Each structure stands twice: as C-alpha cells, then as structure tokens.
Amino acid sequence: MGTEARPRQSRFYQIWEKVAAVAIIILAAGGFLFLLNYTSPIKWDYIIEKFPSFLSPAALTLMITVGSYGVGMAIGFSLGMLRTAKFRPVRILATGWVEAIRGTPLFVQILLLFALFSYYNPGDLALPTRLLVTGFLAMMINTGAYQAEIFRAGLQSVAAGQVEAARAVGLGYWGTMRSVVFPQAFRVVIPPLTNEFILMLKASALLSMINVKELTYFAKIETFTGNLVEVYMIVTVLYLIMTVPLAKIIAHLERRYRIPGLGMQQETRARQTRSSQSVTVRIAGLDLSQVRRGLPGRERTFI
Amino acid sequence: MAKGDVLVVAGPSGSGKSTLLRCINLLISPDSGDIYLDGVKVNAPNIRPEWVRQQVGMVFQQFNLFAHLTALNNVTLGLRRALKMSRPEAEKKGRELLTRVGLGHKADAYPAELSGGQQQRVAIARAVAMDPKVVLFDEPTSALDPEFIKEVLDTITQLARDGMTMIVVSHEMSFARNVASRVVFMDDGVVLEEGTPEQVLVHPTHERTKTFVDKILE
C-alpha cells in the first residue's frame, strides 16, 4: 500500500513538499472554477442561499449508507466466516453468492430489486417508503458481498502458527477465534472496510435513479430551475465533507492503536530507514542500503 | 517416559520429529499407535483435545507468539482463557515466569519489539505457565540467529534442572549430551536408535545414525 520506506528528507524539503502540494491543489481548483466561470458566471449568492437546504438530503444519504453498511457488515462477517468453512457445500454456496453479487453492477441490482418490489409490494408500503426500502436492501446486499471478501481475506491473513499456538495453550475453536484470530484480523480489515464505506456512500448516488430522495436526487430536482453548475458544486462539496474527514479520522485511529509488527507499518519502517541511513555504507558512491532495497534513493550520492 | 526425563529427538529433516510432537498434543491425530499421558490414553474419542493440550506445553520453531499481545499477555492468555484464572492471579504468575526466563523487564513489550532469543524465552514461559506435565520443544533454536541460541538453550537447561519433563527436537548435540536423559534417533518416521546420549551420540550402532552424527559434529 504505497508506504515504501524512503530516505528522510531535510526539514526544508519536507516543508517545501507540503507548500508545493497545497499550491498545486489551489491552482487546480482555481483553474477549474475559472473555466466554469468562463461560460456563465457562478452565482455565489445562490450557492450560499441554497446550501442549507441540501443538508437534510445529505443526512439521508449518510443514514442510508450507515444503515445498509452496518447490516451489510453482519452479513459480510457471516459470509466471510462461511467462505472459510470446512464443510464444502457451505463454502461453495457462500462463494457462489458472493461471486454473483460482485459480478453484477450495483445499478442493475438496484433496478432488479426495484422491478421486483413494483410487482410484489410486501406490507403494502407507501411509494416513497417502498423506494427507500428497495434502495436500502440493494445496497445492503451489495456491500454484504464485498465485505464478505474483506473479512475472508482478513481471517485468512492470520498466520497458521498463531492458530496452532492458541490451540497448544488449550484454547478451543471459539476461544482461538475470540482471543487470537479476530483481534489480529480486525486490524487488517480496518483500511479496506473504510474504503468500502466510502465507496458505498458514493454509490448511494445511484439511488437517485429510483427516486430515493437522497442528495443526488435532490440536486437533480433542483436543477430543473437551472443553476446546474452551482447545484453540483454544492453536491460535490457535501460528498467531500462526508468522505474526507472520515478517512482521516480512521487513519489517525489506526496509527494511534497500532501494535508493532501488526497491520500498518509506516512508522516502524521509517525508523528502520533512518537508522540504516546513519550506518550507510558507500562503495564507489553507491549507497548499499538503498541498492539492497531497490529504491530509487533520492539522496544517493556519486563520487 | 518417566517424570523429570529429558528426551532429545534427533534425525534428518522430514524424519517425522515435528509430526511426533504434534501427535503428542493432538494437533495432528496419529494414524496408528496410541499416546498415553499419566497412564491415560489421550487419543481417544472421549478425551477433549483441549484438556490434553492444557497439560502438554509446546514451544515452536518459529516462536509463534501472539503478535497482538504483550509478552505478559502471551504468557497469561492460556491461564485466563483456558484455565479461567482471574486476571491479577494470572498476571502475578506471568510476571514470575517472565522473571524466571530473564525477561521481567520486557513484560509490556510486543513480540515484534523483542529479539528472536527473547521471543523464544517468552514462548517457553508461555508453555510452562500452564504447569504442564510435559513440555514439547520443536527445534527451539533452529530459527534463531547464532548469537541468541545460547540464551535459549540455557533457559531450557535451567528448566530441565528444575525437574520439568520435556521432549526436545534438536540438533544441538552438546545440549543433548549435557541435558538429555535419553536420546532418540529418528529417520523416515521410524525410531532407529534409542538410549543414553553416550550410547546414541558417541557409540551409535546403526549406520544411518553414525553418518548423521558425523555430519553434525563436523
């Protein structure tokens, strides 16, 4: 995961890198806004006036995602366990289900469920509720299958020796799972689960196509009076507000609760690189510590 | 095996030494033959394997310390989860054992922060913590850097002197000579030779044992 060790840069270089990154982002955003402005001036007062009205559909987007993702997690965890089951028919069934869901577009799944519920309306739900339930179920089923894969990979990432050691100190199957396998798999599974949540939050925009009144649908209705650019700028910003801080918070928690030798290893690697830097051996100008790692080696010097 | 015996098992790789150990604590069920612990046949359907494993400690070649737990929690996990000991009681015992293997000051370190030798000593403490009737060592030093071998062998030797019954798969011949009460030589899943260290290592009768011992002593 893009966390290669690299030689420590000078303080000046580190600051320069950050300044450059921020400058590029500002320039790009500015350029983009300039282009939009070029065709028709952006109505900033419209944006300021309308922004609050987008908050409640954004909240619905968040609620649908959190709900379907949460239930999907229970499904995913169970399916993931079943996919590692010893009993073959169970494994085949679970695998088949996961493959079927992963092999078809979420949009098609939404439409299929929409069609099903149009013919058969369990509990005689009113139309808006029915659409909401349809969307919720489609997303739940979809994320369930993807999360199953994440949990399966996490469970299988626990080394066989760890399980053997747990058995050897007298733990049974569930004791081993609870005390050793789950805690270790948990740390492996957090980054891909975060990623899946963000993907689902964005995918919830598809529900606008079956008239669930979430953020994108609300925006679509708003554009009937024009102001397309302004409306979708608001929507873009709102999606970013929901996704970016979450990713940052999770990454922070990961660093904070990291256990040496498990999961993300950034800092440990950085430390190793630093110490090897101090004992850098240079033969004919080649930095051996970097040659061994096969890295480009920005600080490599030649005599 | 009698109580307090130290049995060293030697033999070329693939000769079934590790399999033998894994059969004894039922990580693998034996195809044939029976295993008795304290006169009880343990590879029987009415015996829970967990019950057997709580009385048979195991130390692995690759240490297999629980990577998400500190040294202390590695030692106490079995006490708390399998023997249902209370946390303070288990931790008191865990600290005593870590001190015994010379790692009292590393109780809160994670496995990745310990050297190979230290990890293996924690693993020994973990196995001994359960007050097992016998401890099995599966090549405890062969995954170690040479500099750490001595500290681990010393720990095992001390344990043997304290009267622990143990079966050690090892190619450390000086260790076998000093500590073993009996040595077994295995090849191809069969015990070829068995006797005192003197008999097996110095005056082997079997041709296969002779060549093996010669090679190792070279």
Side-chain angles (χ1 to χ4, degrees), chain A residues 124-285:
Chain A
D124 282 321
L125 296 170
L127 188 64
T129 323
R130 200 179 77 201
L131 295 173
L132 190 69
V133 170
T134 308
F136 185 93
L137 287 179
M139 283 186 48
M140 177 189 91
I141 291 169
N142 185 271
T143 193
Y146 276 91
Q147 290 188 46
E149 276 305 276
I150 295 172
F151 283 114
R152 180 196 56 78
L155 291 170
Q156 288 178 344
S157 77
V158 178
Q162 297 284 314
V163 175
E164 208 175 33
R167 310 287 264 180
V169 292
L171 295 178
Y173 174 79
W174 284 110
T176 303
M177 283 292 169
R178 198 167 76 100
S179 301
V180 176
V181 177
F182 292 161
Q184 292 194 16
F186 177 70
R187 289 182 168 80
V188 176
V189 140
I190 291 299
L193 277 185
T194 313
N195 192 39
E196 169 67 9
F197 180 85
I198 290 169
L199 286 175
M200 285 321 282
L201 189 106
K202 294 184 295 175
S204 70
L206 288 171
L207 299 185
S208 65
M209 299 308 286
I210 59 164
N211 298 355
V212 176
K213 295 182 173 49
E214 46 70 63
L215 183 55
T216 306
Y217 176 84
F218 185 80
K220 219 168 58 174
I221 302 300
E222 277 297 308
T223 56
F224 289 169
T225 56
N227 308 316
L228 271 87
V229 170
E230 289 79 5
V231 164
Y232 287 118
M233 272 170 66
I234 295 175
V235 171
T236 305
V237 167
L238 278 170
Y239 275 114
L240 281 176
I241 288 175
M242 289 189 279
T243 52
V244 175
L246 179 83
K248 291 281 173 208
I249 291 168
I250 301 282
H252 172 77
L253 289 178
E254 257 177 77
R255 265 195 303 278
R256 179 126 182 234
Y257 295 104
R258 204 188 69 247
I259 285 178
L262 261 184
M264 193 175 60
Q265 291 300 305
Q266 266 170 344
E267 263 180 48
T268 325
R269 276 194 214 170
R271 218 181 297 141
Q272 282 166 358
T273 316
R274 230 167 287 159
S275 59
S276 70
Q277 279 275 305
S278 59
V279 290
T280 295
V281 182
R282 291 201 164 89
I283 296 177

Side-chain angles (χ1 to χ4, degrees), chain B residues 31-109:
Chain B
D31 289 333
S32 64
D34 294 326
I35 291 145
Y36 291 87
L37 182 69
D38 255 1
V40 181
K41 183 181 160 191
V42 293
N43 55 329
N46 60 337
I47 300 262
R48 277 174 51 241
E50 287 80 21
W51 180 78
V52 177
R53 292 185 199 127
Q54 284 163 17
Q55 306 177 64
V56 180
M58 177 116 183
V59 175
F60 299 88
Q61 184 175 2
Q62 302 291 344
F63 330 134
N64 291 356
L65 286 183
F66 304 124
H68 64 301
L69 298 177
T70 61
L72 181 62
N73 285 333
N74 261 280
V75 178
T76 57
L77 182 71
L79 296 174
R80 290 193 289 120
R81 292 271 185 261
L83 299 184
K84 309 288 176 206
M85 201 183 264
S86 76
R87 183 181 270 272
E89 209 182 333
E91 292 197 341
K92 186 165 163 282
K93 189 169 184 190
R95 284 185 197 281
E96 275 169 22
L97 280 159
L98 284 176
T99 311
R100 214 168 120 191
V101 298
L103 291 171
H105 60 295
K106 291 284 187 188
D108 296 324

Side-chain angles (χ1 to χ4, degrees), chain B residues 126-217:
Chain B
R126 174 175 72 179
V128 174
M130 306 288 287
D131 288 325
K133 298 202 167 105
V134 53
V135 181
L136 313 173
F137 293 85
D138 186 9
E139 303 204 29
T141 57
S142 47
L144 289 173
D145 286 341
E147 50 176 329
F148 299 131
I149 290 179
K150 188 173 176 300
E151 62 184 63
V152 170
L153 286 182
D154 286 350
T155 309
I156 301 174
T157 307
Q158 191 52 50
L159 206 57
R161 301 261 149 84
D162 294 346
M164 181 59 78
T165 314
M166 49 176 89
I167 304 179
V168 186
V169 169
S170 179
H171 292 156
E172 300 290 336
M173 286 304 133
S174 61
F175 169 78
R177 214 170 299 161
N178 294 333
V179 183
S181 41
R182 271 194 307 158
V183 175
V184 160
F185 182 81
M186 284 183 77
D187 191 18
D188 217 9
V190 183
V191 172
L192 282 186
E193 204 151 343
E194 185 183 354
T196 64
E198 175 82 4
Q199 284 169 350
V200 179
L201 300 176
V202 186
H203 311 292
T205 52
H206 214 279
E207 200 52 44
R208 189 73 192 79
T209 321
K210 270 182 201 163
T211 43
F212 183 77
V213 170
D214 284 347
K215 268 190 192 142
I216 274 194
L217 292 181

Side-chain angles (χ1 to χ4, degrees), chain A residues 64-86:
Chain A
I64 295 176
T65 311
V66 169
S68 60
Y69 181 85
V71 185
M73 185 176 282
I75 297 174
F77 183 75
S78 317
L79 273 177
M81 291 282 285
L82 292 181
R83 285 208 59 184
T84 61
K86 282 206 186 93

